[in-house]
Amino acid sequence: MKLIQVQDYQEMSQKAAEIVIEKIKENPQIQLGLATGGTPEGFYNRLIADHKENHTSYKQVKSFNLDEYIGLSSTNPNSYHYYMADTFFNHIDINQEDTNLPNGTAENIQEECSRYDEMIDKMGGIDLQILGIGQNGHIGFNEPGTSFASKTQVVDLAQSTIEANARYFDSIDEVPTQAVTMGIASIMKSKEIVLLVSGVAKAKALKQLIDGELTEEFPASILKKHHNVTIIADQEALSEYASKSDSTLRG
Ligand code: GLP
């Protein structure tokens, strides 16, 4: 894993946007894996600004999101479908039909999970996956204890995740208790991964990711086994980790 240390949230967002814009220039048909949550909002804002100023085009780009809440339809403002449209897709020139998220309201949710993995495989896989990390080390919605071999699946959300995400809902009782998420093995198939980590709330998780052992109790630890991971972390997130320069971390 490569670690890029930046000052703050703005610099993290800028750096991530620069990497993605560069990759789109190299390959206008790039297949992007996208994430939701508070962390990538600044990153999406910068991609939008660049699209408006420099006309970087997403017309040939395809996107695949990590996860969606079970039971929330795309018109629900708390759904990740809505988040992606509102935060990113509606402001760039990507074709709606080239944007993909798991359907959390599918009648047969198991079938939906297999469909999602098969579709990604059939389309040639994800070139670059953007990831965030939960305070408990989750990636996507793969909570501690998830098998490293997991494919896209239905998961019960950890109480700590429900509490962390309650800020977006009117009350904690409205937070769905289940989600459909790309599995750990599905995420690991991406050719390249960029992990964004910002804020003091993530400091313990980042330290554990860098210094801790490989264990299913800390899902993000699997990233040590991927051959092309870049972590972009700001000073607050790095506050529990002491190294001073950018570095390649042990696998
Ligand atoms: C959410 C998402 C993850 C995200 C993580 C951190 O629940 N399912 O994909 O990376 O938790 O979220 P945030 O960036 O808001 O801290």
Side-chain angles (χ1 to χ4, degrees), residues 14 16-26 43 46-47 50-51 54 56 58:
Q14 182 63 32
E18 282 167 12
I19 291 173
V20 169
I21 292 162
E22 198 53 45
K23 296 277 172 192
I24 296 173
K25 280 193 187 131
E26 280 169 29
F43 156 71
R46 272 161 184 78
L47 292 183
D50 163 76
H51 170 70
N54 306 315
T56 302
Y58 295 77

mmCIF file of all heavy atoms in Angstrom, residues 14 16-26 43 46-47 50-51 54 56 58:
data_model
loop_
_atom_site.group_PDB
_atom_site.id
_atom_site.type_symbol
_atom_site.label_atom_id
_atom_site.label_comp_id
_atom_site.label_asym_id
_atom_site.label_seq_id
_atom_site.Cartn_x
_atom_site.Cartn_y
_atom_site.Cartn_z
ATOM 1 N N GLN A 14 -8.725 17.115 -3.370
ATOM 2 C CA GLN A 14 -8.050 17.600 -4.571
ATOM 3 C C GLN A 14 -7.143 16.521 -5.165
ATOM 4 O O GLN A 14 -7.171 16.256 -6.356
ATOM 5 C CB GLN A 14 -7.222 18.855 -4.204
ATOM 6 C CG GLN A 14 -6.496 19.497 -5.365
ATOM 7 C CD GLN A 14 -7.454 20.026 -6.416
ATOM 8 O OE1 GLN A 14 -8.564 20.463 -6.095
ATOM 9 N NE2 GLN A 14 -7.061 19.945 -7.683
ATOM 10 N N ALA A 16 -7.225 13.268 -4.737
ATOM 11 C CA ALA A 16 -8.003 12.145 -5.278
ATOM 12 C C ALA A 16 -8.595 12.522 -6.637
ATOM 13 O O ALA A 16 -8.571 11.726 -7.587
ATOM 14 C CB ALA A 16 -9.109 11.756 -4.298
ATOM 15 N N ALA A 17 -9.093 13.751 -6.737
ATOM 16 C CA ALA A 17 -9.682 14.198 -8.011
ATOM 17 C C ALA A 17 -8.613 14.228 -9.097
ATOM 18 O O ALA A 17 -8.858 13.785 -10.229
ATOM 19 C CB ALA A 17 -10.328 15.571 -7.836
ATOM 20 N N GLU A 18 -7.432 14.712 -8.749
ATOM 21 C CA GLU A 18 -6.344 14.765 -9.751
ATOM 22 C C GLU A 18 -6.014 13.370 -10.272
ATOM 23 O O GLU A 18 -5.811 13.176 -11.465
ATOM 24 C CB GLU A 18 -5.068 15.380 -9.122
ATOM 25 C CG GLU A 18 -5.135 16.890 -9.017
ATOM 26 C CD GLU A 18 -4.037 17.475 -8.134
ATOM 27 O OE1 GLU A 18 -3.082 16.742 -7.783
ATOM 28 O OE2 GLU A 18 -4.150 18.668 -7.790
ATOM 29 N N ILE A 19 -5.957 12.413 -9.366
ATOM 30 C CA ILE A 19 -5.640 11.034 -9.777
ATOM 31 C C ILE A 19 -6.701 10.535 -10.752
ATOM 32 O O ILE A 19 -6.396 9.992 -11.820
ATOM 33 C CB ILE A 19 -5.546 10.104 -8.542
ATOM 34 C CG1 ILE A 19 -4.299 10.464 -7.721
ATOM 35 C CG2 ILE A 19 -5.519 8.628 -8.956
ATOM 36 C CD1 ILE A 19 -4.175 9.729 -6.385
ATOM 37 N N VAL A 20 -7.961 10.747 -10.414
ATOM 38 C CA VAL A 20 -9.048 10.225 -11.259
ATOM 39 C C VAL A 20 -9.092 10.939 -12.606
ATOM 40 O O VAL A 20 -9.262 10.301 -13.661
ATOM 41 C CB VAL A 20 -10.404 10.313 -10.506
ATOM 42 C CG1 VAL A 20 -11.568 10.036 -11.435
ATOM 43 C CG2 VAL A 20 -10.404 9.324 -9.345
ATOM 44 N N ILE A 21 -8.903 12.250 -12.599
ATOM 45 C CA ILE A 21 -8.929 13.014 -13.858
ATOM 46 C C ILE A 21 -7.806 12.528 -14.790
ATOM 47 O O ILE A 21 -8.013 12.328 -15.988
ATOM 48 C CB ILE A 21 -8.809 14.530 -13.567
ATOM 49 C CG1 ILE A 21 -10.087 15.022 -12.862
ATOM 50 C CG2 ILE A 21 -8.567 15.324 -14.850
ATOM 51 C CD1 ILE A 21 -9.940 16.343 -12.144
ATOM 52 N N GLU A 22 -6.652 12.298 -14.210
ATOM 53 C CA GLU A 22 -5.510 11.778 -14.967
ATOM 54 C C GLU A 22 -5.853 10.415 -15.597
ATOM 55 O O GLU A 22 -5.586 10.156 -16.764
ATOM 56 C CB GLU A 22 -4.323 11.640 -13.999
ATOM 57 C CG GLU A 22 -2.959 11.520 -14.640
ATOM 58 C CD GLU A 22 -2.672 12.630 -15.638
ATOM 59 O OE1 GLU A 22 -2.963 13.800 -15.307
ATOM 60 O OE2 GLU A 22 -2.172 12.311 -16.740
ATOM 61 N N LYS A 23 -6.492 9.568 -14.793
ATOM 62 C CA LYS A 23 -6.853 8.221 -15.266
ATOM 63 C C LYS A 23 -7.897 8.302 -16.386
ATOM 64 O O LYS A 23 -7.874 7.505 -17.324
ATOM 65 C CB LYS A 23 -7.441 7.381 -14.123
ATOM 66 C CG LYS A 23 -6.467 7.103 -13.011
ATOM 67 C CD LYS A 23 -5.579 5.912 -13.338
ATOM 68 C CE LYS A 23 -4.485 5.792 -12.303
ATOM 69 N NZ LYS A 23 -3.433 4.876 -12.663
ATOM 70 N N ILE A 24 -8.819 9.250 -16.276
ATOM 71 C CA ILE A 24 -9.836 9.402 -17.332
ATOM 72 C C ILE A 24 -9.171 9.867 -18.628
ATOM 73 O O ILE A 24 -9.535 9.425 -19.718
ATOM 74 C CB ILE A 24 -10.959 10.374 -16.900
ATOM 75 C CG1 ILE A 24 -11.717 9.806 -15.699
ATOM 76 C CG2 ILE A 24 -11.936 10.648 -18.054
ATOM 77 C CD1 ILE A 24 -12.727 10.754 -15.078
ATOM 78 N N LYS A 25 -8.174 10.737 -18.482
ATOM 79 C CA LYS A 25 -7.430 11.202 -19.677
ATOM 80 C C LYS A 25 -6.737 10.031 -20.350
ATOM 81 O O LYS A 25 -6.744 9.900 -21.570
ATOM 82 C CB LYS A 25 -6.404 12.257 -19.279
ATOM 83 C CG LYS A 25 -7.037 13.615 -19.101
ATOM 84 C CD LYS A 25 -5.973 14.703 -19.016
ATOM 85 C CE LYS A 25 -6.641 16.024 -18.670
ATOM 86 N NZ LYS A 25 -5.980 16.719 -17.555
ATOM 87 N N GLU A 26 -6.120 9.172 -19.528
ATOM 88 C CA GLU A 26 -5.410 8.000 -20.065
ATOM 89 C C GLU A 26 -6.377 7.018 -20.715
ATOM 90 O O GLU A 26 -6.076 6.384 -21.708
ATOM 91 C CB GLU A 26 -4.702 7.252 -18.934
ATOM 92 C CG GLU A 26 -3.386 7.859 -18.514
ATOM 93 C CD GLU A 26 -2.877 7.228 -17.207
ATOM 94 O OE1 GLU A 26 -3.180 6.035 -16.935
ATOM 95 O OE2 GLU A 26 -2.217 7.940 -16.455
ATOM 96 N N PHE A 43 -14.331 15.342 -2.978
ATOM 97 C CA PHE A 43 -13.745 14.742 -4.184
ATOM 98 C C PHE A 43 -14.717 14.895 -5.367
ATOM 99 O O PHE A 43 -14.327 15.340 -6.463
ATOM 100 C CB PHE A 43 -13.424 13.281 -3.860
ATOM 101 C CG PHE A 43 -13.340 12.335 -5.011
ATOM 102 C CD1 PHE A 43 -12.282 12.383 -5.898
ATOM 103 C CD2 PHE A 43 -14.323 11.354 -5.179
ATOM 104 C CE1 PHE A 43 -12.205 11.475 -6.953
ATOM 105 C CE2 PHE A 43 -14.249 10.449 -6.222
ATOM 106 C CZ PHE A 43 -13.191 10.517 -7.118
ATOM 107 N N ARG A 46 -14.878 18.454 -6.595
ATOM 108 C CA ARG A 46 -13.740 18.844 -7.436
ATOM 109 C C ARG A 46 -13.840 18.254 -8.842
ATOM 110 O O ARG A 46 -13.470 18.892 -9.823
ATOM 111 C CB ARG A 46 -12.430 18.454 -6.784
ATOM 112 C CG ARG A 46 -11.987 19.567 -5.874
ATOM 113 C CD ARG A 46 -10.992 19.135 -4.859
ATOM 114 N NE ARG A 46 -10.689 20.249 -3.977
ATOM 115 C CZ ARG A 46 -11.487 20.651 -2.980
ATOM 116 N NH1 ARG A 46 -12.659 20.074 -2.772
ATOM 117 N NH2 ARG A 46 -11.124 21.657 -2.220
ATOM 118 N N LEU A 47 -14.342 17.039 -8.935
ATOM 119 C CA LEU A 47 -14.538 16.458 -10.277
ATOM 120 C C LEU A 47 -15.568 17.274 -11.059
ATOM 121 O O LEU A 47 -15.408 17.494 -12.265
ATOM 122 C CB LEU A 47 -14.994 14.997 -10.170
ATOM 123 C CG LEU A 47 -13.983 13.981 -9.633
ATOM 124 C CD1 LEU A 47 -14.583 12.571 -9.662
ATOM 125 C CD2 LEU A 47 -12.677 14.003 -10.431
ATOM 126 N N ASP A 50 -13.962 20.524 -12.186
ATOM 127 C CA ASP A 50 -13.060 20.246 -13.309
ATOM 128 C C ASP A 50 -13.856 19.989 -14.591
ATOM 129 O O ASP A 50 -13.480 20.452 -15.678
ATOM 130 C CB ASP A 50 -12.195 19.022 -12.982
ATOM 131 C CG ASP A 50 -11.566 18.438 -14.221
ATOM 132 O OD1 ASP A 50 -10.602 19.031 -14.722
ATOM 133 O OD2 ASP A 50 -12.067 17.395 -14.711
ATOM 134 N N HIS A 51 -14.982 19.264 -14.455
ATOM 135 C CA HIS A 51 -15.817 18.996 -15.630
ATOM 136 C C HIS A 51 -16.308 20.309 -16.233
ATOM 137 O O HIS A 51 -16.310 20.488 -17.452
ATOM 138 C CB HIS A 51 -16.999 18.110 -15.221
ATOM 139 C CG HIS A 51 -18.038 17.977 -16.281
ATOM 140 N ND1 HIS A 51 -17.821 17.270 -17.435
ATOM 141 C CD2 HIS A 51 -19.294 18.489 -16.372
ATOM 142 C CE1 HIS A 51 -18.909 17.344 -18.193
ATOM 143 N NE2 HIS A 51 -19.802 18.085 -17.572
ATOM 144 N N ASN A 54 -12.748 22.396 -17.276
ATOM 145 C CA ASN A 54 -11.812 21.782 -18.241
ATOM 146 C C ASN A 54 -12.493 20.782 -19.175
ATOM 147 O O ASN A 54 -11.844 20.172 -20.005
ATOM 148 C CB ASN A 54 -10.671 21.080 -17.493
ATOM 149 C CG ASN A 54 -9.988 22.015 -16.520
ATOM 150 O OD1 ASN A 54 -9.696 23.151 -16.865
ATOM 151 N ND2 ASN A 54 -9.765 21.558 -15.303
ATOM 152 N N THR A 56 -13.571 17.814 -18.802
ATOM 153 C CA THR A 56 -13.293 16.377 -18.718
ATOM 154 C C THR A 56 -14.630 15.665 -18.910
ATOM 155 O O THR A 56 -15.611 15.986 -18.236
ATOM 156 C CB THR A 56 -12.698 16.012 -17.343
ATOM 157 O OG1 THR A 56 -11.516 16.776 -17.168
ATOM 158 C CG2 THR A 56 -12.386 14.523 -17.250
ATOM 159 N N TYR A 58 -17.305 12.403 -19.164
ATOM 160 C CA TYR A 58 -17.645 11.101 -18.581
ATOM 161 C C TYR A 58 -18.566 10.320 -19.518
ATOM 162 O O TYR A 58 -19.186 9.356 -19.114
ATOM 163 C CB TYR A 58 -18.319 11.307 -17.216
ATOM 164 C CG TYR A 58 -17.374 11.930 -16.200
ATOM 165 C CD1 TYR A 58 -17.082 13.287 -16.234
ATOM 166 C CD2 TYR A 58 -16.742 11.153 -15.249
ATOM 167 C CE1 TYR A 58 -16.198 13.862 -15.333
ATOM 168 C CE2 TYR A 58 -15.853 11.714 -14.338
ATOM 169 C CZ TYR A 58 -15.590 13.066 -14.383
ATOM 170 O OH TYR A 58 -14.699 13.620 -13.496
#
